Amino acid sequence: MTFPNAAAAGARAGIASPGAVGEGFPATLTVHRDFAIGALDRRLFGAFVEHLGRCVYTGIFEPGHPTADEQGFRGDVKALVKELGVTLVRYPGGNFMSGYDWEDGVGPRDQRPRRLDLAWYSTETNQVGTNEFMAWCEELGLSPMFGVNLGTRGMDDARRYLEYCCHPGGTELSDRRRAHGVEPPHRIPLWCLGNEMDGPWQIGRKTPDEYGRLAQETAKLMRMLQPGIELAACGSSAFDMATYGEWEDRVLSHCHDEVDFVSLHSYFVKPFAPDGVLPPGADTSTESFFAQIETNARYIEATVAIADAVAARRRSKKRLMLSFDEWNVWYRARHGHHLKQDGWPEAPRLLEEVYTVEDALLVGGMLCMLMNHADRVKVACLAQLVNVIAPIMTEPGGPAWRQTIFWPFALASRFGRGTVLRPSIASPTYPHVKEGELPYLVASVVWNEDDGTLAVFALNRHLAAPMDLAVALQGLGGDAGLALGEAWELHDLDLHATNTVDLPDRFQPRALGGICVDGDTLRATLRPASWNVIVLRPR
Ligand code: AHR
């Protein structure tokens, strides 16, 4: 990852230089090497590519773009995906998946049908399908997480898709893949059994009993073909769905023994009115916005409780893991022409949320929270990857750039390797009407036993005061102890600042100074409204 002349960019943007902070308030974070939450699964740094808007077409794929490769994939986007540190990509949807016929997207491109995509009111050209997407993943070293259509299709189609993709050869479907130029079978270790099957908007929505039985039987069939695959059942499409809880309980009462994961989806919102007129009393404060970190922690913990209750009823020792396979901020580009455009356009501009500094800080805090649930959350996908509620934006024929939210993700993926330690936090708090007293400090700590490095990720949620952070490092670093490796901060005096095509580097990491490591204590001053990562290495 390169941080291009960060200090100069900050100065150009009129950002105060590091060190220009006032009196801090104290906060402490204590970790002990032996008190671990769990191994951090690198699949926590997943993302999502859906055939939606411009995520695929003019996003990852644009033949004729000056940087396009022979397949038509944009080279500038590939470079940014690598820099982002994505490990896994979910594909091909989303809502799109529930109406998708995978056979439309394989074989000679000039014979592929144009279809109406009823999820997003667009025309799908099918110029990118399974084999092109897999080639792109392989080149970038990404692990694919595919989904099967349990909306308009069903278990037999899931079996046929799996056989086409993953059976070595000697059958009609696997030989069809080989005839399409893909000799060795694809490696697709993880599959979603449908998408958001509880949602009224979903094509082929099901009741929990209908879906639970279908997921169970589809899982059985897919496993007969490929015993080693992992499977994710759909949980609710949001924590605030009226049927949340009951859905998980009913669905898992059918398919608990056949699946490995239950999914969670969450989009973080703020009261927002397209016409600018908010209802009286709407709470648009940043402090409330940041409280969604705790709301999502409760969502995880409640889902674990339900999955474990299902296991307990069955006297089962099995523990389902969670796949948080859609998460991000999404509230501005969520109405009218952002969701639907007339005339069945190809690759319309849908869900093109422009992210702010405030959003980046919440994404950073969410990453800490996800890491702190590493014992049960083994897969997570930032939704999505390019153009559609995305960290990477592109212009057709033009440049690609990083949105604000690119940075916390890139830094967390770069340094989040190893075992997550249990953080004990003592911090002043602020009240939130739903979540109670919230500590200004949100933090996670990851210990990499392989190279002895320790990464401290910390969000200061105080909007006006710097935080004097002391981190007690117990049992870490051996006799020689730890020393500062590198440290980065994400901060901007303007919480509404954005990165745009004209000013793509307005917001980017800057080196965090003034850090002291004294024996077993790390001290740092964190600016108000800042997300930080401090990396210690063995002396
Ligand atoms: O990510 C955008 C959409 O949000 C997905 O298609 C769907 O699964 C969710 O509702």
Side-chain angles (χ1 to χ4, degrees):
M1 187 189 322
T2 50
F3 299 153
N5 199 3
R12 271 200 307 280
I15 300 167
S17 63
V21 290
E23 278 296 293
F25 66 90
T28 63
L29 168 62
T30 305
V31 286
H32 191 292
R33 183 192 170 140
D34 293 339
F35 298 155
I37 293 172
L40 195 160
D41 193 317
R42 292 285 299 160
R43 295 178 296 177
L44 216 60
F45 302 111
F48 180 23
V49 167
E50 175 166 6
H51 284 251
L52 192 184
R54 300 194 307 115
C55 187
V56 173
Y57 304 110
T58 75
I60 63 172
F61 178 80
E62 190 182 341
H65 188 272
T67 69
D69 64 16
E70 283 170 8
Q71 290 284 323
F73 287 106
R74 284 181 65 144
D76 54 353
V77 172
K78 283 194 283 190
L80 287 177
V81 171
K82 273 192 191 162
E83 187 184 320
L84 184 61
V86 170
T87 54
L88 165 145
V89 183
R90 182 168 178 249
Y91 178 84
N95 297 341
F96 171 79
M97 186 160 87
S98 295
Y100 182 52
D101 181 348
W102 62 269
E103 286 174 274
D104 290 344
V106 296
R109 271 180 170 152
D110 59 359
Q111 291 168 29
R112 295 186 193 172
R114 293 165 61 83
R115 299 271 186 216
L116 296 182
D117 164 16
L118 300 174
W120 300 107
Y121 303 95
S122 312
T123 297
E124 171 58 49
T125 64
N126 284 304
Q127 290 305 292
V128 172
T130 299
N131 297 324
E132 293 83 21
F133 181 76
M134 282 302 297
W136 183 79
C137 281
E138 275 157 27
E139 185 187 337
L140 294 175
L142 301 168
S143 183
M145 178 189 201
F146 268 50
V148 295
N149 173 353
L150 296 186
T152 56
R153 302 208 135 207
M155 60 186 280
D156 193 49
D157 187 66
R159 175 207 43 99
R160 296 177 77 257
Y161 193 18
L162 183 62
E163 184 175 329
Y164 174 88
C165 290
C166 302
H167 191 67
T171 64
E172 187 275 321
L173 284 164
S174 55
D175 287 344
R176 203 194 300 178
R177 182 199 68 244
R178 294 165 71 203
H180 292 161
V182 183
E183 183 60 40
H186 292 306
R187 278 206 65 255
I188 306 177
L190 177 56
W191 292 77
C192 301
L193 299 169
N195 177 69
E196 294 188 347
M197 299 308 300
D198 62 323
W201 57 88
Q202 198 67 213
I203 298 169
R205 177 198 190 186
K206 311 244 176 313
T207 67
D209 288 314
E210 287 167 351
Y211 174 68
R213 285 284 296 123
L214 179 59
Q216 179 184 32
E217 292 306 315
T218 306
K220 267 168 56 184
L221 191 61
M222 292 176 77
R223 281 252 168 67
M224 287 172 186
L225 184 58
Q226 292 269 310
I229 53 173
E230 289 189 297
L231 297 167
C234 295
S236 297
S237 42
F239 193 28
D240 60 6
M241 293 294 288
T243 49
Y244 172 77
E246 189 191 337
W247 172 271
E248 280 72 7
D249 190 48
R250 293 300 314 149
V251 166
L252 295 179
S253 72
H254 293 292
C255 67
H256 175 274
D257 294 352
E258 285 80 16
V259 303
D260 305 283
F261 293 92
V262 58
S263 73
L264 296 83
H265 290 181
S266 182
Y267 291 104
F268 321 139
V269 298
K270 225 180 173 184
F272 179 78
D275 59 3
V277 184
L278 285 166
D283 181 357
T284 59
S285 70
T286 301
E287 290 89 342
S288 282
F289 187 57
F290 288 166
Q292 290 172 96
I293 297 168
E294 277 74 11
T295 311
N296 281 283
R298 284 196 296 114
Y299 180 20
I300 289 173
E301 287 154 22
T303 307
V304 165
I306 297 165
D308 289 357
V310 174
R313 279 207 300 269
R314 303 166 97 84
R315 290 118 183 126
S316 169
K317 284 169 74 178
K318 177 173 175 176
R319 290 294 171 264
L320 282 190
M321 296 297 140
L322 306 193
S323 173
F324 211 129
D325 47 45
E326 288 186 33
W327 70 271
N328 204 344
V329 175
W330 178 24
Y331 64 93
R332 286 159 290 229
R334 206 168 178 171
H335 59 273
H337 69 279
H338 294 289
L339 297 181
K340 179 184 179 186
Q341 293 174 16
D342 290 340
W344 301 96
E346 282 178 34
R349 290 182 185 262
L350 300 179
L351 283 64
E352 298 205 1
E353 190 93 5
V354 177
Y355 288 108
T356 63
V357 171
E358 186 185 60
D359 299 332
L361 298 177
L362 177 53
V363 164
M366 260 301 286
L367 285 159
C368 291
M369 190 282 288
L370 286 171
M371 289 190 259
N372 286 338
H373 290 84
D375 53 337
R376 297 302 286 265
V377 182
K378 297 292 179 186
V379 172
C381 303
L382 181 71
Q384 299 191 3
L385 186 58
V386 187
N387 289 328
V388 173
I389 43 175
I392 298 169
M393 295 300 289
T394 67
E395 270 304 312
W401 68 98
R402 306 166 189 83
Q403 292 231 56
T404 58
I405 62 167
F406 182 99
W407 289 114
F409 190 100
L411 288 164
S413 177
R414 182 174 175 194
F415 297 115
R417 291 164 194 272
T419 302
V420 184
L421 302 181
R422 190 166 295 285
S424 172
I425 286 175
S427 160
T429 60
Y430 68 94
H432 181 262
V433 65
K434 263 172 51 189
E435 300 300 340
E437 287 296 318
L438 304 180
Y440 285 111
L441 174 62
V442 176
S444 62
V445 181
V446 186
W447 168 240
N448 185 341
E449 291 177 41
D450 293 341
D451 64 7
T453 60
L454 185 90
V456 178
F457 302 93
L459 169 66
N460 177 6
R461 282 195 279 199
H462 201 296
L463 303 184
M467 174 188 291
D468 287 334
L469 175 66
V471 186
L473 308 161
Q474 300 182 347
L476 292 151
D479 292 340
L482 293 165
L484 179 63
E486 58 190 293
W488 298 96
E489 71 169 357
L490 295 175
H491 169 78
D492 195 301
L493 291 176
D494 180 2
L495 284 177
H496 302 294
T498 58
N499 287 345
T500 61
V501 63
D502 296 324
L503 204 53
D505 299 322
R506 165 76 169 84
F507 180 74
Q508 57 182 315
R510 288 178 298 158
L512 174 65
I515 295 165
C516 155
V517 188
D518 181 10
D520 289 346
T521 306
L522 156 70
R523 291 182 194 283
T525 299
L526 310 183
R527 288 169 193 269
S530 70
W531 188 87
N532 308 265
V533 53
I534 302 168
V535 182
L536 304 182
R537 302 216 159 90
R539 271 183 206 281

